[in-house]
Amino acid sequence: MKPTPAAADWLTPRRFAALLAVLIFASWPQVLLGLQTFVYRDFGYFTYPVAQFQRDCFWRGELPLWNPLNCSGIPFLAQWNTAALYPPSLFYLLLPLPWSLGVFQMLHLLLGGLGMFLLARRWTGNAFAAGIAGVVFAFCGLNQNCLMWVSNLAALAWMPWVIWRVELAAREGGRQIAIAALVGAVQMLSGAPEIIALTWLVAAMPVLGLGVKSFGRFALVVALVTALSAAQLLPFLDLLAHSHRTENFSGDSWSLPLSGAVNFFAPLFRAHPSYHGVYLQTAQQWTASYYLGGATLVLAALAVWRVRSRRVFWLAALAVLGLVLALGNDGGIYGLLRHVPGLGVMRYPVKFIVLPVFILPLLAAFALAGGGEDQPRKFRNQVAFLWLALLASAIAALGFAWKFPLPECDWFELWRNTAARAIFFTAILGGLVLMRQNLRASLRQWLPWVLLVIVWFDLLTHAPRQQTINADNFSAPWPRVPAPPRLGEGRVWNPPAAEAELLNFRIENPAASFVSRRWALVENCNLIEGVPKVDGFFSLRLREELEVFSLLTCASNGYPARLADFLGVSQVNAAADVFTWVARPTALPLVTAGQQPVFAGREAMLQKLASPDFDPRREVCLPSEAKAFITATNTAVKISGVQFSGHRVAVQVQADASALVVVAQSFYHCWRGSVDGHPARVWRANHNFQAVEIPAGAHELVLVYEDRRFELGAVISLLTLAGCVACFFPPPWKRNAAALNRNS
């Protein structure tokens, strides 16, 4: 379809961005005005708490390498999906929360839609077709679902930009290589490994047919992106090697159900309403929706039917591959892919749905720009055939849901919703057919924009949306008795019975639901309050820390109290009321000293920690290899002062003889010990914690977190960044030659 005069003359990138901004404001005005903010699922229990912790570190002048408030201490920056080094995160670090975080997410919808517009316009040469693709991608069900995550939404938003700039770099070289590397690095730092990997899979496809020189440029871009991201990648790979994820970690859980293809045009099919009001599939709950609109599906199919292009072919092939892989083992390919080295640590096959979600809007743009303006009847007939096929599929889905209902599904709501989707895709396709007819000038001018708005409204209303709550629910003070422990004083913990009750807690009011859980410090809500907690909600946990934590949660006759004492569990949820906290007076301080060392292997050590005979006041378990180096026995030790901060622990001790100082903080090789300024080895104690031997007398023990891999990566990243920036400034001799040429 040739662009109409209105689309060709008016729909520039700047104006399309303005249109997107207006549509985004119309979608969530309460969030952009700061009156409310998102709260759905991970936004309230992961995204916001992580942003709050990162912001607190920023204003203290600290780089958040280590999180001392969760999981007895855990690497933070190395998690990757915390987006600690993602440059745009400065937006919510500098501006007030929670307003800035909600606006930050909205800006990524704008970024993603504009990037899709630019990519589709470059590939199709049609502004209106690119506008349709941009609106569909910005407001599709997957992006709306990803409003609860910084990392996933940011990676999706940068996806079209990376593919566009990488192809340009492969074709033209020069400064385009530096631009592509910078754009790719920004996405790499967003922290969504699976989406980033799929981005580069799509980006590599057009390059493969451009020749050896172009492939060399592509390889150079990949190398530069890796170097620019080294400050993030090196700590992440290090943590991954020490985490609970192994090559056998990945499973088939949260795969797309076989009926999942229907949800592309009937979003509530075989889905049930959660207590949040959002509909979820029973088989997977990573995304509530990946709806693109029935018109997008028809146009994508039309592109495969009508457009004879190698690019359309490989895009369609990748979309089908992504859908098949999203099915998990039911697709027949995913099980084989899991055995590829390095891919076994990935999780949730449904994430491959990113491929069709990204590609189908592009295929729709190809269909709209595919020519045939001189054959409007043929276009109309083909669209009518596909429209009838989709309508018949929707009716068949309704019949199936009526004949084989799921107990938790509402058939009448499904009927109403599917009928509304059918009306929308009929109106959109009818408008597109009408655009190929001889119309009055005024109708030709306004019809494209009306269709863009209809596409937006269909996507916005395709299913119940994420709830929002008043922003002050994240910051309003609330009473606690007893007072919560602060860093270094102890920890709180939700025992298994309380955790199960909190997970099953249901209340319709979203604000009351969130505030109640915030009081109970579920997941990472402790980061909002600055309260240390035994566990937490993170993608990567240290292997040994999780094994010790499992001892607390797997006991059939209650948790091992002495292990909880050692962990400093000073408060737990009351058995009668999980929203009330009770003190545990037997909890030990996080720093103890003078215990008798017990040398044991891994299994014996874990059995000892779970045993009711374990006495952390009198004994500490050390690895067998430490026996040749440790001379300390049980002895009297006085601890006169302890200073805990995020990356430093200082202890003043007085010992009658050489003794062990035990710190109930997770062992990680980045912690360095010193006694009176002299290096001291930090031993793994009680399977996951820290112990340092000190000589007799008065001493100062200092533990400092120093991530050498991050430091090396930062040097590599900064040097590479300097090189990329230098590409935009020609050397003096070239500037002088250019000046001479101008003067001559």
Side-chain angles (χ1 to χ4, degrees):
M1 177 188 298
K2 292 181 180 177
T4 65
D9 298 338
W10 192 85
L11 197 56
T12 63
R14 184 175 298 177
R15 286 168 177 166
F16 179 76
L19 174 65
L20 269 185
V22 170
L23 296 179
I24 290 171
F25 179 81
S27 303
W28 297 278
Q30 74 279 22
V31 175
L32 290 168
L33 294 175
L35 303 176
Q36 293 189 328
T37 192
F38 299 108
V39 71
Y40 175 67
R41 287 180 54 181
D42 288 4
F43 188 95
Y45 306 118
F46 177 81
T47 299
Y48 181 85
V50 163
Q52 180 70 64
F53 174 80
Q54 190 177 351
R55 192 174 190 274
D56 292 342
C57 291
F58 178 83
W59 286 103
R60 287 197 303 266
E62 297 178 359
L63 194 63
L65 298 172
W66 180 260
N67 169 16
L69 299 176
N70 285 106
C71 305
S72 301
I74 188 172
F76 182 85
L77 179 146
Q79 291 286 334
W80 199 359
N81 69 345
T82 55
L85 294 181
Y86 180 55
S89 294
L90 282 171
F91 184 85
Y92 62 76
L93 298 183
L94 293 170
L95 298 175
L97 290 171
W99 171 82
S100 58
L101 189 58
V103 175
F104 178 82
Q105 298 296 80
M106 300 291 97
L107 291 175
H108 279 86
L109 292 182
L110 177 64
L111 180 72
L114 181 58
M116 178 61 80
F117 171 83
L118 294 172
L119 177 63
R121 191 180 67 158
R122 174 176 175 80
W123 282 358
T124 67
N126 187 306
F128 174 68
I132 291 289
V135 171
V136 170
F137 184 66
F139 294 97
C140 67
L142 181 60
N143 275 349
Q144 291 192 52
N145 177 81
C146 288
L147 285 169
M148 63 174 159
W149 296 305
V150 165
S151 58
N152 287 316
L153 183 57
L156 284 168
W158 284 105
M159 191 173 181
W161 294 87
V162 172
I163 294 167
W164 172 38
R165 301 311 308 192
V166 166
E167 183 184 18
L168 202 59
R171 288 182 180 275
E172 300 181 10
R175 294 180 182 176
Q176 298 298 336
I177 293 176
I179 295 174
L182 292 171
V183 172
V186 173
Q187 191 209 33
M188 187 72 73
L189 295 173
S190 66
E194 295 91 345
I195 297 175
I196 293 169
L198 295 176
T199 299
W200 286 93
L201 175 63
V202 178
M205 289 300 171
V207 175
L208 296 178
L210 297 179
V212 176
K213 187 175 182 179
S214 294
F215 185 79
R217 292 168 177 164
F218 174 80
L220 178 57
V221 171
V222 172
L224 289 173
V225 169
T226 304
L228 286 166
S229 309
Q232 177 66 77
L233 294 179
L234 292 183
F236 166 75
L237 293 174
D238 186 32
L239 174 59
L240 183 63
H242 293 86
S243 76
H244 68 296
R245 293 202 187 194
T246 65
E247 285 296 327
N248 297 320
F249 176 81
S250 175
D252 194 43
S253 61
W254 283 12
S255 300
L256 192 70
L258 290 173
S259 62
V262 178
N263 296 92
F264 277 104
F265 58 89
L268 303 189
F269 181 72
R270 311 297 280 180
H272 64 277
S274 67
Y275 77 95
H276 303 94
V278 176
Y279 277 69
L280 296 168
Q281 294 172 338
T282 303
Q284 65 84 24
Q285 297 183 16
W286 179 70
T287 179
S289 175
Y290 39 87
Y291 179 75
L292 296 168
T296 303
L297 300 185
V298 168
L299 292 172
L302 193 63
V304 177
W305 186 359
R306 290 170 53 89
V307 181
R308 299 295 179 258
S309 164
R310 184 172 60 181
R311 194 190 298 273
V312 168
F313 172 78
W314 63 255
L315 282 174
L318 282 179
V320 172
L321 176 64
L323 183 61
V324 172
L325 289 173
L327 295 172
N329 291 338
D330 290 338
I333 302 178
Y334 180 76
L336 301 175
L337 191 64
R338 287 174 53 196
H339 298 293
V340 176
L343 295 182
V345 299
M346 298 174 66
R347 66 190 309 190
Y348 303 155
V350 69
K351 291 185 178 181
F352 284 101
I353 203 69
V354 168
L355 282 176
V357 166
F358 178 79
I359 290 171
L360 291 177
L362 285 169
L363 291 177
F366 275 104
L368 291 174
E373 296 79 8
D374 56 337
Q375 298 177 328
R377 179 177 297 180
K378 184 177 180 181
F379 177 82
R380 180 192 63 196
N381 293 340
Q382 291 171 334
V383 168
F385 174 79
L386 293 172
W387 169 77
L388 284 173
L390 186 62
L391 189 62
S393 299
I395 294 172
L398 290 175
F400 184 88
W402 172 263
K403 184 69 175 177
F404 305 101
L406 293 179
E408 63 272 24
C409 294
D410 186 341
W411 187 88
F412 291 101
E413 180 60 28
L414 170 63
W415 182 89
R416 287 192 294 267
N417 183 277
T418 304
R421 299 314 112 206
I423 292 172
F424 275 114
F425 75 67
T426 300
I428 295 168
L429 293 174
L432 294 173
V433 170
L434 189 60
M435 284 178 60
R436 295 194 174 231
Q437 311 303 313
N438 294 322
L439 303 176
R440 294 198 306 264
S442 59
L443 188 57
R444 289 182 62 85
Q445 180 180 1
W446 291 107
L447 184 56
W449 321 127
V450 171
L451 289 176
L452 288 172
V453 172
I454 294 175
V455 168
W456 159 74
F457 196 69
D458 176 30
L459 293 164
L460 188 69
T461 61
H462 76 273
R465 293 193 289 160
Q466 296 183 21
Q467 298 163 327
T468 59
I469 61 174
N470 290 341
D472 57 9
N473 285 299
F474 284 90
S475 57
W478 46 272
R480 278 202 55 181
V481 178
R486 311 316 296 178
L487 182 59
E489 298 175 354
R491 297 187 177 101
V492 301
W493 180 45
N494 308 122
E499 183 77 13
E501 186 172 343
L502 288 168
L503 288 176
N504 294 322
F505 176 72
R506 297 290 184 266
I507 185 171
E508 290 185 3
N509 185 292
S513 176
F514 171 73
V515 171
S516 299
R517 285 180 168 83
R518 178 186 156 200
W519 288 351
L521 300 177
V522 301
E523 306 293 3
N524 291 343
C525 284
N526 63 300
L527 294 177
I528 302 175
E529 315 301 333
V531 176
K533 188 180 177 186
V534 172
D535 60 340
F537 177 33
F538 289 93
S539 296
L540 297 180
R541 292 178 66 170
L542 295 173
R543 189 179 304 116
E544 291 78 11
E545 179 272 325
L546 194 57
E547 290 171 344
V548 172
F549 180 73
S550 297
L551 298 178
L552 282 177
T553 59
C554 294
S556 58
N557 55 347
Y559 62 84
R562 292 194 171 184
L563 178 58
D565 290 343
F566 169 72
L567 293 172
V569 179
S570 58
Q571 293 184 33
V572 295
N573 308 87
D577 180 7
V578 294
F579 300 106
T580 299
W581 293 91
V582 295
R584 294 186 70 255
T586 58
L588 289 172
L590 297 188
V591 180
T592 55
Q595 294 95 328
Q596 174 72 37
V598 176
F599 302 97
R602 174 183 175 277
E603 295 298 331
M605 195 179 298
L606 287 171
Q607 291 177 5
K608 180 72 173 177
L609 295 176
S611 169
D613 298 329
F614 173 58
D615 187 354
R617 293 168 174 81
R618 299 179 180 276
E619 58 187 345
V620 58
C621 297
L622 297 178
S624 300
E625 59 267 24
K627 188 173 184 178
F629 300 91
I630 299 297
T631 60
T633 59
N634 59 322
T635 188
V637 179
K638 179 181 179 181
I639 298 177
S640 56
V642 177
Q643 294 178 337
F644 254 90
S645 62
H647 302 88
R648 188 175 186 272
V649 179
V651 185
Q652 306 293 328
V653 293
Q654 174 75 46
D656 295 339
S658 61
L660 288 168
V661 177
V662 181
V663 183
Q665 177 173 245
S666 292
F667 179 92
Y668 195 55
H669 64 88
C670 294
W671 281 98
R672 318 289 178 188
S674 65
V675 176
D676 299 330
H678 301 288
R681 183 168 180 175
V682 181
W683 291 96
R684 185 184 292 276
N686 289 342
H687 192 61
N688 177 59
F689 303 94
Q690 302 169 350
V692 178
E693 186 177 31
I694 60 167
H699 302 283
E700 180 184 46
L701 167 64
V702 177
L703 298 173
V704 178
Y705 190 87
E706 298 177 354
D707 193 337
R708 302 288 171 76
R709 285 171 175 79
F710 166 74
E711 294 170 359
L712 173 62
V715 171
I716 295 172
S717 296
L718 290 174
L719 290 176
T720 308
L721 177 61
C724 289
V725 172
C727 293
F728 299 96
F729 300 95
W733 60 87
K734 287 191 176 182
R735 290 199 299 269
N736 294 336
L740 289 175
N741 289 334
R742 286 195 301 269
N743 293 334
S744 61

